[in-house]
Amino acid sequence: MTDRAIVADGLTKRFGEELAVSDLSLSIGSGDVYGFLGPNGAGKTTTMRMLTSLTRPTAGTATVAGVSIADRPALTERIGYLPADPPVFDELSGREHLRYVARLHEIPPDEATDRIEAMLDQFGLAGDADRRIESYSTGMQKKVGVIAALVHDPEVVFLDEPTSGLDPRAARTMRDTIAEFADRDVTVFLSSHVLSVVDELADTVGVIDDGKLVAEGPPEELKRRVEGDGETDLETAFLDITKEDDELDDVVEA
Amino acid sequence: MLRRIRSQDVWLALVAVSSLAVLAVLPILFGVASDWGASFASGDAGPAATVGLLVAVAWVFQVAMAVVAGVGSYGEVDNEAGMLTIRPPKDVAGGMLLMNTVSYAVYLLVPFVAGFAGLSAGVGSPLPLAGGLAAVVAILASSMAIGYPVGLAIKGVVRRSGTLSRLKPVIGGVVVVAYFWIMFAGHLPALVDALEPATSGPPLGWLGDLALVTTPGAGASPLRAAGALALALVLVPVGTLATVRAATYAWYADPSRDDGDEVEGEGTAPAARTASAGTPPLDRVLGHLTRRQGTLGVASVTLVRAYRAPLQLVFVAAPLLFALPMVEGVVATGTVPDYAPWFAMFYGAWAAGTAFPLNLVGNQGATLPALLTARADGRQVVHGSVLAAVLPLAPVTAALAAAAAHAGGRSTTAVAAIGALSVAVVAAGALIAAGLGALFPRFDGIDVSGGRSAVPPSKAAFALFSLVVVLAVTAAGVLTDEVYHLLIHALLSEYLPFGLSVTLDGLETVSVGVAVAVAAAVPAAYLLAVRRIDDYRIE
């Protein structure tokens, strides 16, 4: 493990004429929780897909856990990814799906069983683990997706909206899990619209808007950027930062 | 809406083929009915009993279709939560009964119009059409009023029963096999004979009178015809009320909770489970065939998903339609055609390819990111998908092909060779399909039932793979089976265009070339599939 878990240099992605991510550079330390914020359609998911090797960048390079994102076989051993829509098979039970994912990660069966059972207990899903996923609520599916992303003990975890759809207790478990991962020197790349979660957990926050990284820094620093001396939260800072960017766009267009 | 219809391309193709088949039958129906009309016109009312029987049988089939509609997807509400919170269930249920009645009208109208137009032509008067149309209305109204609520009630029972819910795939399979057995194995006349007391007596027999009441010389009873109409009129409100009750029973059911006991050791506390104790039988079998966890996982999950959602594989059954005349011929004559073993082999290879490997990327659906960011590489994914197809299909294909070869009088050596070749052809088919499927993946689903959709292989993959399998099986047959060699030679001599001809030796040479090309295509397709998956990106 290098001291920089994620390093991106000029990462760019075009879909035809549309510029989804523009010249994105990141440097995230090992064991950090990086909060990745942005309005809908700003390029968060595309960025995560590039960093997880699911999408090939149009330009730029990046390494995750010291491995180039072009080297998928080496990368997959080190990363875990939870997309916004939990990647689960409806026809399987929660336990079957997790066993499937553990097999894809080539975890020895006994070890996989231990890890799966521990995490099912941790997320309060043990009692429902033999029901088919098609009967699960959105939150329960999300829990299965989260466990699947973490079951192989990755060095870097990419979580896209991990707390959406979770009940308060499960959301708390998720926050504790992320904090626990950070304590174990696991790097967490966290995209969420629940800004209180990001505020609580993130060491650094990056804000992407219209494909460009428009602000980056510790949450407290971003809050201080907001004009006025009143008490400011991350939501206010986020709205202010993205508004600034929108206004800049308006000026450029004019 | 048009875009949605266009996206159902597989269904549109099947509808087109079915329509052609129906169009071919209609002139025959018209001709027979015209002869019956001529008999009526000459004072012979003999055909009236046959017409009455056919009309009553049509009612029985329409009831069966209505039951199936109620049980199946046509008994489910699209956007259920939204619809049932906007309108009361009686409105929704009534609307669906009406919608289904109108939808099924075409199945009756087309043959009845053709048949009664024929009667009119034979009689020399348009009057029979009026009776025929009145019969269509009465049959539709009464059959839907009875069958549709029965189907909905069955749906409610199944939803409430954990056992029945689990057995749905098996029950569905039995019903489909029974349907084909009755329809295409020569058992339909026996069934009609068995139903004869009910179809000729009241009130079903009255439908014949209604259908023929306006046909001069048919001797239909106006009183019984009026009775049929009156009964239909009574059944409509009763059936509508029953539909509302049954729909409420079905739609507001608390679904039985699935405990997944078919895969896990029942009654074992989760914390106490161990890898070996919780290993399902399927995984134990697969564990004997592969040591790679990724391969085992892909194969196991592919088969479990297919078992639990078999309608996702409905398109795999398409070539079986072409086998029906052969099955019918075997049953009727008691002899197995020479090409039967090769058809079995063709279908086995085709099914092994189309079931899973021909869309091994698209089949992953929303879980594709999980697969691509896992340690398992392209080799394991391809191995797993091919294993899932070959494991059940190779032995079945080998057994069917060998049995057909044996029944066709081939030598023991030839039977053994055909059996062994079947296994190789099925495996080769699955591997070639994996290559084509990885090259032409498809992610757009088609509706198969209720909220379920299936993702069939792309049209390009389908077409190319079918062509390769036909060529491969034909070449294999020519090279290993003298009877088949002669059969193909005879066919080519008859149908080769532009004055082309081929000798027996020439055919053998061409077959060697095809066999070599296909043999070379197998490893090439395998490597292509592996590489495509390893390099696959979601764009």
Side-chain angles (χ1 to χ4, degrees), chain B residues 148-246:
Chain B
Y148 193 61
V150 168
L152 285 170
I154 294 172
K155 181 197 286 290
V157 171
V158 171
R159 280 186 171 175
R160 283 171 167 79
S161 163
T163 307
L164 288 176
S165 294
R166 264 199 307 279
L167 288 175
K168 253 194 316 190
V170 177
I171 296 170
V174 169
V175 170
V176 169
V177 169
Y179 173 78
F180 281 101
W181 185 70
I182 289 168
M183 293 299 289
F184 300 102
H187 298 286
L188 185 59
L191 180 68
V192 171
D193 283 345
L195 292 173
E196 203 271 338
T199 51
S200 61
L204 274 186
W206 298 350
L207 286 168
D209 291 286
L210 176 61
L212 292 173
V213 73
T214 57
T215 303
S221 159
L223 191 64
R224 289 198 293 265
L229 264 184
L231 197 56
L233 284 174
V234 170
L235 280 172
V236 168
V238 172
T240 305
L241 287 174
T243 297
V244 172
R245 292 293 296 274

Side-chain angles (χ1 to χ4, degrees), chain B residues 278-298:
Chain B
T279 303
L282 173 62
D283 288 3
R284 282 200 290 274
V285 172
L286 290 168
H288 291 300
L289 301 171
T290 177
R291 287 183 179 178
R292 298 303 299 263
Q293 287 290 306
T295 303
L296 196 157
V298 171

Side-chain angles (χ1 to χ4, degrees), chain A residues 13 53-56 72 76 87-89 91 95-96 99-100 103-104 106 110 130-132 134, chain B residues 257-259 262-263 270 273 275 283 292 305 308 312 367 376 380 452 534 536-539:
Chain A
K13 181 66 187 179
S53 82
L54 288 170
T55 295
R56 195 173 276 121
R72 183 189 280 167
T76 52
V88 292
F89 282 127
E91 301 90 351
R95 184 172 273 114
E96 287 170 338
R99 190 159 50 197
Y100 165 64
R103 280 175 172 157
L104 291 181
E106 306 235 289
D110 289 335
D130 288 329
R131 278 172 47 205
R132 288 193 197 166
E134 63 191 358
Chain B
R257 302 197 116 189
D258 181 79
D259 294 330
E262 68 267 48
V263 287
R273 291 175 204 272
D283 288 3
R292 298 303 299 263
R305 290 180 68 210
R308 292 182 187 168
Q312 293 180 20
T367 68
Q380 291 181 57
R452 284 200 184 284
D534 283 340
Y536 197 82
R537 298 291 189 276
I538 300 171
E539 300 292 352

